[in-house]
Amino acid sequence: MASTQVLAGFHAVVARLRHAPSSIKEIYVEASRRDKRMVALIEQAGHAGCKVHPVSSERLDGMARGTRHQGVIALAEPAQLAVDVDDVLDAIEGPAFLLVLDGVTDPHNLGACLRTADAAGVHAVIAPRDRAVGLNATVQRVACGAADTVPYVMVTNLARTMRELKERDVWLVGTDDKATTSLHGIDARRPMAWVMGAEGEGMRRLTRETCDELVNIPMLGSVESLNVSVASAICLYETVRQRQG
């Protein structure tokens, strides 16, 4: 079952039914649940030609492996929106807009980052393969469908990939609380990638050194840092603000 992906929760399953119904192998729903939301999902699955199996809540709990499933789970082929960074850049019209996550291992944070990336119009999220969480069931649920719309590209060597982005004229802006320039002082209208560090540790040294520019997020209260998904949202929407303006 290594080639099978578990999608848990309404948002993840409905998003896959909408964007890639042919990738779904089977859908399992809680037999005792027949509310309006569940009926709508079953009808959507029927229109897409997907098999729906009513099962007990206990069986769903076992399939979800600790992920909150809301009474619905789908088994699907893993969705891959882009193979590598070149695929992403070649398909972009206009200035590139990317998010680089250096070692985000919390699936809730990655799911939130993907959801914000989708809302902000990010072309892809890039992460290292060995220091990051993959698109597991929790990420899919928290992302509320964004994992099926925003390419999540996991690379073997993040610093090398960042250098390749620079060679293709993508400006790399990292966040660092010791930086002297505010995020509001950059030109976010150019092709760019925001580079965010892991929870607690921040960016690794080589990642930081590979950035073209480092900026800080103004902190006016008593806390020293922000959750990576919140910090990502602030930075991504600075790009949205400048480009729309």
Side-chain angles (χ1 to χ4, degrees), residues 56-80:
S56 67
S57 178
E58 290 75 17
R59 183 173 179 187
L60 291 174
D61 291 341
M63 296 173 69
R65 298 176 183 175
T67 301
R68 189 160 61 89
H69 54 71
Q70 301 173 301
V72 57
I73 284 178
L75 301 182
E77 298 171 358
Q80 192 167 29

Side-chain angles (χ1 to χ4, degrees), residues 100 102 172-184 186 193-198 200-219 224-226 228 231-232 235:
V100 177
D102 185 16
L172 305 179
V173 182
T175 54
D176 190 322
D177 56 6
K178 296 182 178 62
T180 56
T181 302
S182 163
L183 70 97
H184 302 298
I186 69 162
W194 285 103
V195 185
M196 314 298 296
E201 301 175 6
M203 289 182 289
R204 288 174 289 175
R205 178 186 58 81
L206 189 55
T207 304
R208 183 183 294 104
E209 292 175 354
T210 309
C211 290
D212 293 300
E213 188 173 4
L214 295 175
V215 300
N216 67 63
I217 298 174
M219 303 290 290
E224 296 182 356
S225 63
L226 296 170
V228 64
S232 296
C235 294

Side-chain angles (χ1 to χ4, degrees), residues 20-110:
S22 62
S23 71
I24 295 179
K25 299 176 180 179
E26 294 176 303
I27 297 176
Y28 296 82
V29 300
E30 187 173 341
S32 61
R33 181 169 176 174
R34 281 296 180 270
D35 54 81
K36 187 175 182 180
R37 192 179 192 187
M38 182 65 79
V39 170
L41 181 142
I42 293 172
E43 289 180 354
Q44 186 176 357
H47 292 317
C50 299
K51 295 180 180 178
V52 178
H53 305 282
V55 296
S56 67
S57 178
E58 290 75 17
R59 183 173 179 187
L60 291 174
D61 291 341
M63 296 173 69
R65 298 176 183 175
T67 301
R68 189 160 61 89
H69 54 71
Q70 301 173 301
V72 57
I73 284 178
L75 301 182
E77 298 171 358
Q80 192 167 29
L81 301 179
V83 175
D84 54 33
V85 173
D86 284 330
D87 283 349
V88 173
L89 294 178
D90 290 343
I92 292 174
E93 296 182 6
F97 184 16
L98 307 171
L99 174 63
V100 177
L101 299 175
D102 185 16
V104 174
T105 57
D106 186 315
H108 294 88
N109 277 336
L110 175 58

